Amino acid sequence: MCGFSYERLEYVGDAVLGLLFCREHYSLYPNLAPGKLTRLRAANVDTEKLARVALRHNFHRYLRHKKPYLADQIQQFSRAVLEYPLHSNGLIDEPKDLADVVESLIGAVFMDCNSVELVWHVFKGLLEPIITPETIHVHPNTQLLEMCQKNRMSLKYVDSWDKDSSVECVIDSKIVGRGTYSLRKDVAMNRAAKDALDNKWKWMENNGVTAQSVTEEPEQVIVKNMNMENSDEDDNSSVEQAEEPSVSSLVPVTPGKKDMEEHLETNDTSLRGHNDEFIGLSKGQRKRLRKRQRKTLANNTTGQRSKI
C-alpha cells in the first residue's frame, strides 16, 4: 500500500516546490542576498501558505479521511485567515493536511510530465498571491529577538502551556507579553511575542530606550568578532544569528562579555581627551592603545601613592 500513498507524492512535491521558488526568486531578484532569498522561499512554501492555497481552491472538499476533528479545524482556519489576508506568521493554527494535499498534487503533476517548467505553468496561478520582498513580514519571534539583542535586553519565554495553555514573554525579568492556544505550544509562543511587540512602547520606554531604537527593526542581527589581539581586520568578520527560536530553546539572551568590555571602554572617563591619537587607527589598534594608556595611568597612580 505504500506505493499508492499520497505521502510519497507529497515528498516529491515538497522538493519540486522548493526548487521552483528557488529558481523564480533567483531570476526575479538578482541583488537579493542569500539569507533574504531563503526567508522569502520559506514564506511561500510553509504550511500556512499552502493550506491557504488548498482552502482558496476548495481542495479540501475532495479529501477523504477518517479524522473527526479535521472539519472543525478547517472551519476555524477559514475564519482565522480573514484577519490575516496574506500570512499570519505563526499566529493561527493551520491544518497540515491541507498543505499536504497541495504538495501531493504538485508531486503528481511532476511525476506525470517530468518537467518543472510545466509544473510551474500549472501551479503559479494557483499559488497566488505570492509573497514578495515588499509584502513579507518578519516573524514576531525573530523581530523581538533582534530588538532585544540590539538594545542589550535579556529575553526568555516562561512555559505554562501544560497548566493553562499559555506562554509568557519575559524581558529583563518583566512579563511583557502573553499568548494562549490550547492545541499547539508554538502558536501560543508566537502570540506571546506578538503581544509583546504590540505593547513595546510601554516596556521599552520604562527601560529607557528611545523611540528611535523602538521603531528601527533590523533585517538581520550581526555579532562582531571582538578578538582584536590577533588581527586588525576583524571588522569584516561576522556571523548571522538564527532566524527563529524554537520552543525547546527558551533561554535568555544577554550581551556577551566582550561586548560589555567594549561598552565599558567607550565610556571610560579616564581615557577622554586622547581621541586625537585614535585618528586613522583600526579598532584593534585603538583597543591596544587604550590598554597601554590604562596601564600607564595605573603605574603613574601607583608611583604617586608610593611617594606620599
Side-chain angles (χ1 to χ4, degrees):
M1 294 297 293
C2 185
F4 300 97
S5 172
Y6 80 95
E7 293 177 340
R8 287 170 55 84
L9 293 175
E10 174 197 340
Y11 162 77
V12 176
D14 177 60
V16 173
L17 186 61
L19 174 62
L20 289 173
F21 273 107
C22 280
R23 189 180 66 168
E24 182 74 2
H25 293 157
Y26 184 85
S27 302
L28 287 178
Y29 313 111
N31 298 323
L32 207 60
K36 295 181 181 180
L37 287 172
T38 300
R39 178 180 292 181
L40 190 61
R41 180 194 62 191
N44 280 285
V45 303
D46 69 0
T47 303
E48 181 182 334
K49 181 65 170 64
L50 299 182
R52 288 170 177 263
V53 173
L55 185 67
R56 185 178 301 112
H57 299 287
N58 296 318
F59 291 165
H60 59 285
R61 295 185 178 181
Y62 307 96
L63 181 63
R64 292 187 295 178
H65 62 88
K66 296 182 180 180
K67 297 183 177 182
Y69 302 109
L70 181 58
D72 292 337
Q73 291 177 357
I74 294 175
Q75 289 182 0
Q76 293 177 9
F77 180 67
S78 64
R79 292 191 295 266
V81 296
L82 298 177
E83 185 177 355
Y84 306 95
L86 187 61
H87 205 291
S88 74
N89 290 295
L91 299 179
I92 61 178
D93 185 13
E94 69 283 348
K96 184 178 181 299
D97 299 270
L98 297 184
D100 295 344
V101 169
V102 176
E103 289 180 336
S104 61
L105 286 173
I106 294 174
V109 173
F110 174 76
M111 295 304 296
D112 185 62
C113 67
N114 197 27
S115 169
V116 291
E117 287 79 9
L118 186 56
V119 173
W120 184 245
H121 176 74
V122 172
F123 283 93
K124 182 179 180 180
L126 297 176
L127 295 171
E128 294 286 351
I130 294 176
I131 299 175
T132 66
E134 292 75 26
T135 59
I136 191 173
H137 294 286
V138 182
H139 195 282
N141 283 333
T142 303
Q143 186 177 349
L144 187 62
L145 177 63
E146 291 174 348
M147 187 180 299
C148 290
Q149 287 178 329
K150 178 182 177 181
N151 295 287
R152 298 178 181 272
M153 297 178 175
S154 64
L155 167 64
K156 67 178 181 179
Y157 292 89
V158 178
D159 183 4
S160 303
W161 191 77
D162 293 332
K163 296 180 180 179
D164 55 5
S165 304
S166 69
V167 175
E168 292 178 333
C169 177
V170 179
I171 296 180
D172 286 348
S173 303
K174 298 179 181 179
I175 299 176
V176 297
R178 189 174 186 269
T180 60
Y181 190 70
S182 60
L183 299 180
R184 287 172 51 185
K185 184 189 297 185
D186 59 328
V187 175
M189 178 181 174
N190 296 336
R191 292 180 177 181
K194 181 65 166 57
D195 186 39
L197 290 171
D198 291 341
N199 298 293
K200 61 185 177 183
W201 292 100
K202 298 179 181 178
W203 54 266
M204 293 197 79
E205 287 181 354
N206 291 336
N207 288 351
V209 181
T210 62
Q212 182 179 2
S213 49
V214 174
T215 55
E216 291 179 354
E217 296 175 358
E219 295 178 348
Q220 61 180 3
V221 179
I222 302 297
V223 175
K224 292 286 183 71
N225 184 353
M226 304 302 296
N227 186 14
M228 299 302 179
E229 295 295 333
N230 298 326
S231 171
D232 294 337
E233 300 177 357
D234 284 345
D235 291 320
N236 299 324
S237 63
S238 61
V239 180
E240 287 195 13
Q241 291 295 306
E243 293 231 346
E244 183 176 321
S246 62
V247 179
S248 59
S249 59
L250 307 180
V251 295
V253 179
T254 54
K257 178 180 178 181
K258 294 183 178 180
D259 292 337
M260 295 300 296
E261 290 177 354
E262 183 187 18
H263 177 70
L264 292 174
E265 288 175 0
T266 57
N267 292 277
D268 192 346
T269 56
S270 63
L271 300 182
R272 292 176 183 174
H274 299 278
N275 293 334
D276 294 340
E277 302 180 24
F278 298 151
I279 298 177
L281 300 182
S282 67
K283 186 177 290 187
Q285 292 171 336
R286 292 197 302 269
K287 184 174 181 179
R288 289 194 293 270
L289 181 57
R290 289 192 186 99
K291 187 175 180 180
R292 287 197 296 268
Q293 290 175 345
R294 188 176 288 121
K295 185 176 181 180
T296 303
L297 183 63
N299 292 337
N300 293 340
T301 303
T302 304
Q304 292 175 358
R305 290 178 178 177
S306 60
K307 290 180 181 180
I308 294 174

